[in-house]
Amino acid sequence: MPRRRTSSSSSSTGSSTGSPSTPRNRTPQAVRIRRRSFGDFVKAFFAFVALLVLVVGVPGALAVAVGWPLPNGVPSLDWLQKPITTGTFLHILTVIVWLAWAQFTACVLVEIKAAVSGVGVPGRVPGGGPSQLLARQLVAALLLVGATAASLTPGLSQLGHSFDENQRGTVAAAQQTPGGGLFAQQQEQAASTAAALAEQAVGAAAHADAGGSASKADDTKYYRIQPPEGRHHDSLWEIAERHLGDGRRYKEIFDLNKDRVQPDGSKLSEASLIRPGWIMEMPGDARGGDLVEMPEASGGSAAQQQIHDYGRSGDHAQGGGAQQGGGAGHVSLPEQRPAPDQQNDQQTGHQEQHQQHATSTNAASDAFGLPQALVGAPLLAAGLLGALGRRRRQALWQSAFGAVGGRRGMEPPTPTGDAADAQDALLVGADPEGVRLLDRSLRGLAASLGAESRPLPTVYATWLSNNGDLHLQLAQPSGNPPAPWQLGQDQTFWMLARTDAERYEDVDAAAPYPGLVSLGTLDDSRLLLNLESVPGIVSLSGSEADRAAVFASVAAELATNGWSDRMTITLVGFGEDLTPLAPNRLRHLEGIDDLVETMEAETRQRRGALGAAGHDSVLTGRTGPAQHTRWAPHLVLLAAEPSADDAMKLAELAADAGRLGIGYLVGTESGDLPGAAWEMEITGEGKLLAPLLGLELDAQLLPVPLQRAVVELFVESDPEREPQGPATAPPFLVDVSEQGRPAVYARLVGPYEIIGLDTPDGDRSALLHEALALLLLHREGVHPRVLSSALWPRGVTDDVREALLDRLRAWLGTDPDGSPRLKTDSTGRLTLAKTVVSDLDVLRSLYHEATQGRGVDSRAVRGRLLTDALVLVRGPLLADRPEGRYRWLTHEIIDAQLPLLVADIGLALSEFHLVKDRAEKAIEALGAALNSAPGDERLWHELLRATHATGDTDRLQALAADLINRSGARGLPPRTEALLDELLPTWRNGVAAVG
């Protein structure tokens, strides 16, 4: 078998000259011992002098100059009461110096023992830190002229590196074994393996010096992947940087070892996915004290035998499949627990259906004309729907400070066409409860680990299973999780059952894994990849349109998800039109040059910030006392394929990105992106493939037409957008005259009552009432899938939905002309006849008529209409709704619309009375409005003016005191303070007197 050699400029895998099954013969070779130079002797001399001064000179000087600093006898109380003199201060300082000397001396002894014995990782002296680093450098320089230290002492080849780098430079542990105390076992294995390999290397060197018969036909060296220390495991980039002088040569190590069977039976299939205990054959020019030659086959230790067997395994020997368990290099589908058997109660419709029913129903949603891309993306839909609701509420609140009569923005525009279908798909597909449980579970885990002073484990992926359980797949085993979390199928899975997640309460903890984003589903389980933790670049190949759909989905979910605090998403070469989804999170750059310049600066800044804060990664900054800093992630989405030079620049930036909280997702045409850690492909059939990760998902996509429809919803709801045309009229106006009496009248503002219909018998009554309420709040029409998903959030079969609609039609009945009161319009949406009316419809119509209709020209009509409107307000919307139902109201903005509408009515009626100097009437109207909108600052301002108009200073002073008490520790708003300064200049004196 020819010897394998690899130059720095190219990689060579070599080839077997014989049968693939024939083992290659390898002979142990002597470790090259570097010749000692004059500089080594100079370093050794100065190190000896420094050690002599620090270890011997310091105590001698202290003994001569100061003497014994402690009292010669037991101190008495009188001694403690004596004044502190200069001598006392010197004695205290001397004690501190003695303690520092003792710690340094202990560090020297520990380092000398480790260096001479060759036992690998030296023990850490408590609080040693810089002292142990100095001791290590001095001992290394002194022993550099010794017989074996130059080649066998761990860390000497890295003289001058940081303490943590020296620790990582030692020989790694053998294959991990599951169970408790895993990290301690790995450290113990590391020491024993290092000793065995060093012993074998010494024997080989002695054999060569004695003129032994060992052949020098092969000088290949081996490296054993070290166990995780701190934030994450070893990497090929770091190994290449230490032993080949250039991290970019990691590809050579990868090519030498690709697809060769490791001691644990798995294979190296991706450059970034390596496991502790694996063996790496190194290029011929590799250097470093923790590299060893291939031992004799008769070596005494298991580690020696494993290396020997690996060396004989040949070039890319086949056999032995990759493990299906978890681990740093494989994203695996978690084992599923059997879902509880849920019965479909067609009589009541109350029982939630099995999740598989929901899945099958969702899969058929195309028949209803809704885009499946949003219906089948529950977390993305929930994020978009929540962000859209916040945007619409913000627009309402900003419009609240417009003109009282006929202000714009009272009614958000009703979407039409594709935008309406997109909104319906969001309503059908959204799983806000799933988002809430995911967020609470992750924050609860972070809080529990922080309470135990444990770091957050590095999480590569999260799986949401079909029965609602949550599985975290860790980069490496991290011990037992805190309760109620449990170990999953192996040491790299932590699992939380849905029933346990539902018991979690909100906790004040930073979001631990904000970089999680949905990629798709596999066997009804949803995969969320943690882009922030990937040790390098994630590449995505495929057609441009398919890649764009994946990138848009990822960007939209990251921008609106509910399990992150803060983050920055940089879109490069695409997505400028997506920024309306979250202007505070999304940032667009035109080209890769701008990206490289930006990320180089941010990478330097983050490294410095982590070092200054004393953290080794952003994960340690998200737990414990420092979590207030949040350490928000920065995720880069680059759709266009970079050039080879740009790809190399990105690879260098991404090499350390995992611990800095930076993730890179980069598109490529060819699928071969230099420096890519994980490679994925999107097919024209919507499959997301990652063979080296063991994944084949049904991809989560957001195609261009759907992007435009979703963005249109956000643009139309932008609070900064200039209003178009006159004030928006209510979607449904009622005839408020005596002739407009409805056939069915539902009272929603306050306790729920229905006039004109018989109450259904049995358990169906509550379900029918809820369905009618949803239809009454959406006079523009409700898609049947939206109605069914509102009533059964976890899914329902078609027959149950149709049975409900039939019962609802029968209950509502027909008008005198025979037309049904529940109809279906041309788009397939359910609408109510004009004869079915709610008090909210009447309330909106009365206010509209008073401010934009007949009341504009008639003061008497305006006063009567506003008074009638205020009388309708009996409390909050659906005040007596049963717990656990009407959850769809969280998607609505009626909770913001109704208080603003009531406040507008109260303000308009107050103005009506104050014009005629009827201050008491104005105060009465404002008080009624405040019952429904107690937090509206405009009502309080108008109440102050109306009270001031009465001329009663004591009453105004009492109102000011009430306002101050309501404001609490926050204090009064600035505008309220300014108004009080105008109306009651002495109000501050009253506050001071009370204080």
Side-chain angles (χ1 to χ4, degrees):
M1 176 73 195
R3 180 177 58 201
R4 177 185 323 221
R5 292 187 180 276
T6 306
S7 67
S8 60
S9 61
S10 65
S11 62
S12 175
T13 60
S15 61
S16 178
T17 60
S19 170
S21 61
T22 303
R24 298 189 302 173
N25 294 323
R26 292 188 181 263
T27 306
Q29 299 296 316
V31 179
R32 292 183 177 86
I33 301 178
R34 183 173 62 87
R35 293 183 179 275
R36 296 175 289 281
S37 65
F38 175 75
D40 295 334
F41 286 98
V42 173
K43 287 182 180 179
F45 172 74
F46 283 111
F48 174 75
V49 173
L51 286 172
L52 189 65
V53 171
L54 293 173
V55 177
V56 180
V58 170
L62 290 174
V64 173
V66 182
W68 183 250
L70 299 177
N72 295 321
V74 179
S76 63
L77 184 60
D78 294 337
W79 181 81
L80 295 175
Q81 294 174 347
K82 289 181 180 180
I84 298 177
T85 63
T86 302
T88 305
F89 177 77
L90 288 176
H91 285 170
I92 294 174
L93 182 61
T94 302
V95 171
I96 295 174
V97 175
W98 272 108
L99 293 175
W101 169 84
Q103 183 193 57
F104 177 77
T105 302
C107 293
V108 171
L109 295 176
V110 168
E111 293 299 325
I112 290 177
K113 179 180 181 298
V116 173
S117 63
V119 173
V121 181
R124 292 198 181 191
V125 177
S131 297
Q132 192 163 2
L133 175 59
L134 176 60
R136 173 169 301 172
Q137 291 176 337
L138 293 175
V139 171
L142 180 61
L143 296 182
L144 195 61
V145 297
T148 60
S151 60
L152 298 180
T153 302
L156 294 185
S157 61
Q158 303 170 39
L159 186 62
H161 290 199
S162 69
F163 180 77
D164 287 338
E165 287 170 341
N166 284 325
Q167 289 287 2
R168 286 196 294 268
T170 58
V171 178
Q175 168 66 18
Q176 297 176 3
T177 53
L182 182 64
F183 186 75
Q185 293 177 15
Q186 291 174 341
Q187 294 286 45
E188 182 179 353
Q189 287 179 328
S192 61
T193 303
L197 296 180
E199 179 183 354
Q200 179 65 24
V202 172
H207 184 68
D209 290 340
S213 60
S215 171
K216 292 185 177 291
D218 194 345
D219 61 353
T220 304
K221 301 181 181 65
Y222 296 89
Y223 177 86
R224 198 175 186 89
I225 304 302
Q226 68 181 57
E229 184 172 329
R231 61 179 178 85
H232 63 70
H233 52 75
D234 205 350
S235 71
L236 292 187
W237 183 285
E238 293 172 345
I239 296 169
E241 197 169 51
R242 285 199 303 270
H243 301 294
L244 301 177
D246 187 352
R248 289 174 292 186
R249 293 184 61 189
Y250 76 93
K251 194 75 171 179
E252 299 175 28
I253 306 175
F254 172 72
D255 290 338
L256 285 172
N257 297 275
K258 185 174 184 295
D259 293 333
R260 294 174 65 182
V261 180
Q262 292 291 336
D264 62 356
S266 55
K267 300 178 183 179
L268 173 66
S269 57
E270 187 66 18
S272 65
L273 309 180
I274 58 178
R275 302 181 187 175
W278 279 8
I279 300 163
M280 294 291 115
E281 181 174 340
M282 301 293 290
D285 61 338
R287 295 291 182 267
D290 48 357
L291 299 176
V292 296
E293 307 290 351
M294 185 176 70
E296 294 282 2
S298 59
S301 71
Q304 294 171 8
Q305 187 63 43
Q306 286 176 353
I307 292 178
H308 184 274
D309 293 342
Y310 186 76
R312 297 181 57 202
S313 63
D315 296 304
H316 314 291
Q318 302 301 316
Q323 291 185 165
Q324 292 305 308
H330 199 82
V331 178
S332 312
L333 183 67
E335 295 177 355
Q336 304 296 316
R337 297 187 305 121
D341 186 20
Q342 295 177 328
Q343 299 297 325
N344 178 13
D345 188 348
Q346 297 189 17
Q347 298 300 317
T348 67
H350 277 306
Q351 300 297 322
E352 293 182 337
Q353 308 305 305
H354 191 283
Q355 186 66 21
Q356 292 180 353
H357 290 311
T359 303
S360 63
T361 306
N362 288 343
S365 63
D366 283 337
F368 290 87
L370 297 183
Q372 173 64 19
L374 290 177
V375 173
L379 303 184
L380 170 62
L384 288 171
L385 197 59
L388 182 61
R390 290 190 295 272
R391 179 72 58 87
R392 287 173 172 171
R393 286 183 176 88
Q394 185 180 2
L396 282 175
W397 293 328
Q398 287 191 206
S399 69
F401 294 95
V404 170
R407 65 177 172 82
R408 300 176 180 184
M410 187 64 215
E411 300 293 337
T414 300
T416 58
D418 292 342
D421 289 340
Q423 178 172 280
D424 286 341
L426 291 176
L427 290 167
V428 172
D431 183 14
E433 179 67 8
V435 171
R436 185 182 69 86
L437 291 179
L438 176 62
D439 182 47
R440 283 187 173 185
S441 300
L442 294 177
R443 293 180 193 268
L445 174 64
S448 299
L449 290 171
E452 298 176 7
S453 299
R454 294 174 59 186
L456 286 167
T458 300
V459 171
Y460 277 157
T462 296
W463 293 90
L464 289 175
S465 66
N466 55 8
N467 54 16
D469 294 344
L470 177 63
H471 302 258
L472 300 184
Q473 186 163 1
L474 314 184
Q476 63 272 329
S478 298
N480 292 319
W485 291 78
Q486 309 168 34
L487 281 176
Q489 62 203 55
D490 59 38
Q491 292 283 327
T492 60
F493 275 96
W494 285 4
M495 190 273 289
L496 180 69
R498 182 183 178 94
T499 53
D500 293 326
E502 290 172 343
R503 292 195 287 266
Y504 261 120
E505 300 292 338
D506 290 328
V507 295
D508 183 19
Y513 303 112
L516 288 169
V517 64
S518 303
L519 292 185
T521 56
L522 175 63
D523 295 341
D524 295 330
S525 288
R526 184 164 301 277
L527 170 67
L528 288 83
L529 184 67
N530 190 4
L531 286 178
E532 184 188 24
S533 71
V534 176
I537 294 174
V538 179
S539 70
L540 177 67
S541 62
S543 70
E544 183 177 358
D546 293 331
R547 294 202 319 267
V550 174
F551 274 94
S553 171
V554 170
E557 185 169 298
L558 289 173
T560 61
N561 71 33
W563 54 87
S564 302
D565 294 320
R566 296 181 298 111
M567 70 166 58
T568 300
I569 304 118
T570 297
L571 312 179
V572 186
F574 85 105
E576 186 174 9
D577 54 343
L578 293 175
T579 52
L581 300 182
N584 294 330
R585 285 192 179 186
L586 289 170
R587 177 177 65 177
H588 179 264
L589 296 178
E590 289 295 336
I592 194 170
D593 291 338
D594 295 336
L595 174 66
V596 171
E597 180 181 356
T598 300
M599 298 314 299
E600 283 177 344
E602 180 161 345
T603 299
R604 288 193 301 269
Q605 187 271 334
R606 289 200 173 214
R607 282 177 181 152
L610 281 176
H615 301 308
D616 57 2
S617 76
V618 295
L619 289 181
T620 57
R622 290 182 186 150
T623 54
Q627 65 169 293
H628 64 278
T629 58
R630 300 300 181 184
W631 299 102
H634 185 168
L635 303 173
V636 176
L637 309 182
L638 174 59
E641 181 173 9
S643 66
D645 290 341
D646 290 334
M648 191 56 65
K649 293 177 183 177
L650 289 177
E652 293 178 12
L653 288 171
D656 196 30
R659 76 182 189 94
L660 302 178
I662 303 175
Y664 294 87
L665 178 61
V666 180
T668 172
E669 290 283 352
S670 62
D672 185 15
L673 183 69
W678 291 1
E679 297 176 349
M680 298 187 296
E681 177 189 0
I682 178 65
T683 70
E685 293 74 31
K687 293 289 185 179
L688 190 66
L689 309 178
L692 298 181
L693 298 179
L695 295 178
E696 182 176 347
L697 306 172
D698 293 322
Q700 180 171 295
L701 306 172
L702 193 62
V704 172
L706 199 52
Q707 294 176 38
R708 294 173 181 157
V710 170
V711 170
E712 181 182 340
L713 292 173
F714 280 78
V715 171
E716 291 293 327
S717 303
D718 187 357
E720 303 297 333
R721 186 169 181 263
E722 289 295 328
Q724 306 293 324
T728 307
F732 178 68
L733 291 175
V734 177
D735 183 358
V736 293
S737 65
E738 287 295 330
Q739 292 74 28
R741 186 177 298 277
V744 178
Y745 182 65
R747 305 178 74 180
L748 305 180
V749 185
Y752 191 1
E753 299 177 14
I754 296 180
I755 301 172
L757 291 176
D758 295 332
T759 301
D761 296 330
D763 294 333
R764 296 193 185 99
S765 177
L767 200 64
L768 292 173
H769 276 71
E770 185 174 358
L772 179 57
L774 177 61
L775 291 167
L776 286 168
L777 292 177
H778 290 278
R779 302 304 306 226
E780 73 278 10
V782 177
H783 197 285
R785 284 299 313 281
V786 173
L787 179 64
S788 63
S789 65
L791 301 179
W792 295 284
R794 300 191 65 186
V796 67
T797 53
D798 294 344
D799 55 343
V800 173
R801 180 181 59 249
E802 293 303 323
L804 169 74
L805 293 180
D806 290 342
R807 285 193 291 269
L808 187 59
R809 290 189 184 96
W811 181 44
L812 292 174
T814 59
D815 285 329
D817 61 359
S819 59
R821 291 170 180 159
L822 179 62
K823 306 176 182 179
T824 302
D825 65 11
S826 59
T827 66
R829 289 173 171 82
L830 301 169
T831 60
L832 293 172
K834 292 184 178 181
T835 55
V836 182
V837 173
S838 73
D839 55 354
L840 185 59
D841 296 327
V842 177
L843 187 67
R844 287 168 169 161
S845 300
L846 288 171
Y847 177 68
H848 179 77
E849 190 71 17
T851 56
Q852 300 180 53
R854 291 180 294 130
V856 175
D857 300 322
S858 173
R859 172 180 168 79
V861 171
R862 181 166 70 255
R864 178 175 56 80
L865 291 173
L866 291 173
T867 302
D868 290 346
L870 203 56
V871 170
L872 292 176
V873 181
R874 301 175 299 125
L877 186 76
L878 298 169
D880 58 352
R881 61 180 180 266
E883 185 177 357
R885 302 217 64 92
Y886 297 85
R887 292 182 178 177
W888 46 268
L889 281 173
T890 58
H891 301 319
E892 308 285 340
I893 61 168
I894 186 63
D895 61 331
Q897 284 179 298
L898 181 58
L900 288 176
L901 176 60
V902 173
D904 283 349
I905 295 171
L907 291 170
L909 190 56
S910 171
E911 181 186 32
F912 173 83
H913 290 304
L914 285 176
V915 169
K916 293 296 184 179
D917 294 327
R918 294 196 292 263
E920 294 296 339
K921 287 286 187 181
I923 292 173
E924 181 181 350
L926 292 168
L930 280 169
N931 289 332
S932 295
D936 197 310
E937 188 181 0
R938 299 170 302 154
L939 290 175
W940 290 105
H941 290 177
E942 197 67 15
L943 185 59
L944 285 170
R945 294 188 180 97
T947 305
H948 179 264
T950 64
D952 190 340
T953 304
D954 293 338
R955 188 175 179 182
L956 183 60
Q957 184 71 55
L959 178 59
D962 183 33
L963 272 174
I964 294 168
N965 290 334
R966 289 174 181 269
S967 64
R970 295 176 299 174
L972 293 173
R975 285 190 292 264
T976 304
E977 287 191 358
L979 182 60
L980 282 173
D981 287 338
E982 176 187 351
L983 302 179
L984 188 64
T986 61
W987 73 276
R988 298 181 188 274
N989 297 334
V991 173
V994 173

